[in-house]
Amino acid sequence: MLDPIVDLAPGAEENDLATAFADVLRHNLRTNARAQKSFGAMRATVHFVAVDTTQAVTMRFDHGRVTIHEGNIGIPAITFCGAREAILGLTIVPLSPCLALPIPARPRDWAALRGLYSQLAERKLTIYGFFSHARLVTRVIRILSSRSA
């Protein structure tokens, strides 16, 4: 497999949400073989909208390459919408190695899952397109999470 490519589009360097995602992706793809496999299989457009800071980021995945844009570009397959803290909280969601299901083994895993579930239940975080693209949602969380196996 080729080395994963994480690019920031022109103008995205000033968006701190875009640069945070780029840093997380570079780190996770360097250290996690399972994330690399999921990353190589993805070809989609994913939006992230932080409603409290009015920041929007678009990730365009193309089989081993992602370009991170500032703002909304194209028609997304899925959109994560919520507070900036809730969106960045996706980077600590623990996933099991085989089924991509959250299996908490430690108390901090329970806390991370409880936080994610409560944000989803209270509609502080909404995932548009979840039911039609559940596999893509799982892959996005896997490549973003530093705690997936």
Side-chain angles (χ1 to χ4, degrees):
M1 183 176 144
L2 296 172
D3 287 334
I5 301 169
V6 179
D7 289 330
L8 282 171
E13 302 90 15
E14 291 85 32
N15 186 323
D16 61 334
L17 186 59
T19 57
F21 277 140
D23 293 340
V24 165
L25 285 173
R26 287 182 186 120
H27 175 265
N28 291 346
L29 294 173
R30 222 181 2 252
T31 60
N32 190 334
R34 184 104 170 133
Q36 287 178 1
K37 185 177 177 182
S38 291
F39 183 72
M42 294 171 63
R43 184 163 195 264
T45 300
V46 178
H47 285 180
F48 295 87
V49 180
V51 294
D52 56 345
T53 61
T54 64
Q55 290 180 320
V57 172
T58 300
M59 291 186 193
R60 299 184 88 172
F61 295 95
D62 190 16
H63 301 295
R65 178 185 195 116
V66 64
T67 305
I68 302 173
H69 300 268
E70 179 180 28
N72 296 327
I73 307 292
I75 299 171
I78 55 175
T79 300
F80 292 86
C81 185
R84 183 179 190 279
E85 184 178 315
I87 291 173
L88 289 176
L90 296 172
T91 63
I92 60 166
V93 174
L95 295 177
S96 74
C98 55
L99 297 175
L101 296 173
I103 298 179
R106 297 180 296 264
R108 70 179 187 159
D109 293 347
W110 281 106
L113 288 174
R114 196 170 25 255
L116 175 65
Y117 294 150
S118 68
Q119 289 172 350
L120 289 169
E122 296 169 7
R123 298 206 182 247
K124 293 181 180 177
L125 177 66
T126 305
I127 305 172
Y128 296 100
F130 176 79
F131 291 108
S132 57
H133 300 286
R135 177 186 249 169
L136 179 61
V137 171
T138 302
R139 286 179 173 164
V140 168
I141 293 172
R142 179 176 290 126
I143 66 169
L144 287 177
S145 178
S146 59
R147 297 187 35 216
S148 65

